[in-house]
Amino acid sequence: MRRLMQAFFAGALFISPLWAQNAPVVVELYTSQGCSSCPPADDLFHQIAGRDDIIALALHVDYWDYIGWKDQFADPRNAQRQRAYATAAGRRSIYTPEMIVNGLTDIVGAKPMQLSEAIAAQKARPAAVLVSLRRSGESVQITAEAKQAAPGAMVVQMVRYVPEREADITRGENAGRKIIYSNVTQDWKILGEWDGRAPLDIEASAPGSEAVVVLIQEKGMGPIVGAAQLR
């Protein structure tokens, strides 16, 4: 019965929501090729990566590289971002796998029911900021408007990702496995701050064909209040 319930909740992640979409929900996965506990979370993340109502971002970290395998997709800044979340939440340690939903809810490991509930809870909240993106040559035009009272200083961020990257892992805890990773992030940039009192209208360089994601997040690693992506 337990396996049946787990399968049910995992399947629920595939279902397109029936309620109106306010804004996409951002799910960040902190993972590592050298972590034996990560493949189930990577697989769960893969199940939601293509949904239109979710912006799924895989941030590979480097702090497990010493145990036998160097993660080819890791960026030290990803671990810095994860540590900043932990500090803001009063946690003393970081770990993999961890999913953070809209900068608010953290989920340890591969837990389909908790992830589904966290996504549903965020989708039920009215959008605080609406973000629109438009490509223009090798640039992206970013516009945003606060639909509620501005929460104060917000950070405008842009990140690119590759939809699928494959790794043949020959050493470490996952030795002998070939794993396909979804939405592997790269080139995370801070574009500036915005107070929400006037509409935002800026242009950012975005050469190449990789997907573009813009996040607007309360300063101090607070909630993600607005997001959009161009695939």
Side-chain angles (χ1 to χ4, degrees), residues 8 71 142 144:
F8 170 79
D71 191 311
I142 304 164

Side-chain angles (χ1 to χ4, degrees), residues 2 4 29 41 64 67 133 145 147 150 156 162 164 166 209:
R2 184 177 179 180
L4 183 61
L29 170 64
W64 297 127
I67 60 177
L133 307 179
E145 182 180 358
K147 305 306 290 185
V156 183
V162 179
E164 283 193 356
E166 185 177 287
S209 59

Side-chain angles (χ1 to χ4, degrees), residues 3-71:
R3 288 185 179 179
L4 183 61
M5 292 298 289
Q6 288 176 336
F8 170 79
F9 288 118
L13 293 172
F14 288 102
I15 301 173
S16 296
L18 298 179
W19 53 85
Q21 178 178 333
N22 287 327
V25 175
V26 178
V27 179
E28 300 173 52
L29 170 64
Y30 292 86
T31 187
S32 171
Q33 294 173 11
C35 162
S36 62
S37 301
C38 285
D42 296 322
D43 182 63
L44 177 60
F45 184 78
H46 177 75
Q47 296 174 33
I48 66 170
R51 278 176 47 170
D52 291 334
D53 60 322
I54 291 174
I55 296 176
L57 302 172
L59 294 91
H60 286 240
V61 299
D62 62 352
Y63 49 81
W64 297 127
D65 288 358
Y66 75 95
I67 60 177
W69 178 255
K70 184 176 181 180
D71 191 311

Side-chain angles (χ1 to χ4, degrees), residues 62-101:
D62 62 352
Y63 49 81
W64 297 127
D65 288 358
Y66 75 95
I67 60 177
W69 178 255
K70 184 176 181 180
D71 191 311
Q72 303 146 300
F73 311 145
D75 187 324
R77 292 173 295 181
N78 294 342
Q80 292 172 11
R81 180 172 175 84
Q82 190 183 22
R83 289 189 186 97
Y85 270 128
T87 299
R91 297 190 298 269
R92 295 185 177 182
S93 60
I94 56 176
Y95 42 80
T96 57
E98 179 186 28
M99 295 190 193
I100 298 180
V101 181

